[in-house]
Amino acid sequence: MSTFDEIRRITNALAKDVSDFTGVKASLVVNVIQYARRLSRPTNPDVIEELVFIAQMGQRFGITSLFHVKLMFDAIRIKDTKLVRVEEYVKLICIFYSKNLDVKIDFVFSVYDFYHDHQISPNEMTALLKTAIVSSGEDDAVEQLKELIEMVLLEFDSDKDGLISLEEFSVIVSPQSSATEDWGKLG
């Protein structure tokens, strides 16, 4: 069993690391750590279960797409488990609160890069974009999805390798990007 001083030391060290990484005030990070520890298992206060994570994303942040919540979970989970470390959960929550756009972009890219190969492939784009297609039939939907991916690659794959790198993704989602302005006009 940890002593109070050990817990405080560990909490403060984690808060400093997460604060340095995200730019979120250390005092807020400490509050997130304390909250996250309340979500953990009584038998193992270092982890949070997948169902708790899913519920928190819906209740606290209004993220109700199970597909997207599971992608976030998979990006931070302990390999081959349905658990996340409290530290990773805290970092994720602080990324939400961060004003550092690069930190947010890096995280979103890691979520979309579910093969963890540092690029977004047409297969990953297919999984991400298939819910955006509304069509009258299966063949029509497949063709529309294929065309959408071709358009994305034509517009944003600057090195023409058939993949979206972190650098290319950053250009796509940056507020200064003409792509962001063009896509914003559609809504």
Side-chain angles (χ1 to χ4, degrees), residues 22-154:
T22 62
V24 173
K25 288 182 180 181
S27 59
L28 175 58
V29 178
V30 167
N31 289 337
V32 173
I33 294 167
Q34 291 170 347
Y35 180 78
R37 286 196 176 128
R38 289 186 184 103
L39 300 174
S40 64
R41 294 176 164 185
T43 57
N44 189 348
D46 298 327
V47 297
I48 297 170
E49 295 176 352
E50 181 180 29
L51 290 176
V52 173
F53 179 88
I54 291 168
Q56 288 297 304
M57 292 301 109
Q59 290 173 346
R60 300 287 175 218
F61 298 99
I63 304 171
T64 57
S65 165
L66 187 57
F67 175 73
H68 289 97
V69 171
K70 284 189 174 248
L71 284 177
M72 285 190 294
F73 182 83
D74 286 345
I76 65 170
R77 74 181 168 89
I78 301 169
K79 187 176 178 163
D80 299 325
T81 71
K82 294 195 178 272
L83 304 169
V84 295
R85 287 186 175 82
V86 166
E87 292 85 1
E88 293 301 316
Y89 180 85
V90 168
K91 189 188 298 182
L92 168 67
I93 301 308
C94 291
I95 288 170
F96 288 171
Y97 289 124
S98 179
K99 292 180 181 167
N100 184 329
L101 185 60
D102 291 332
V103 168
K104 290 177 182 259
I105 289 171
D106 287 348
F107 178 73
V108 171
F109 185 84
S110 75
V111 169
Y112 292 165
D113 176 23
F114 42 82
Y115 294 144
H116 308 293
D117 56 2
H118 308 289
Q119 55 200 10
I120 300 173
S121 68
N123 287 340
E124 289 161 319
M125 284 182 245
T126 298
L128 293 166
L129 295 173
K130 68 182 173 188
T131 58
I133 301 297
V134 177
S135 69
S136 57
E138 182 69 27
D139 291 338
D140 191 33
V142 169
E143 189 59 35
Q144 287 179 4
L145 186 56
K146 184 178 175 184
E147 289 175 14
L148 181 58
I149 291 169
E150 287 173 5
M151 286 179 4
V152 168
L153 289 171
L154 183 65

Side-chain angles (χ1 to χ4, degrees), residues 152-167:
V152 168
L153 289 171
L154 183 65
E155 182 72 25
F156 304 116
D157 180 20
S158 58
D159 61 5
K160 305 300 179 205
D161 64 353
L163 305 163
I164 301 294
S165 67
L166 175 59
E167 293 76 24

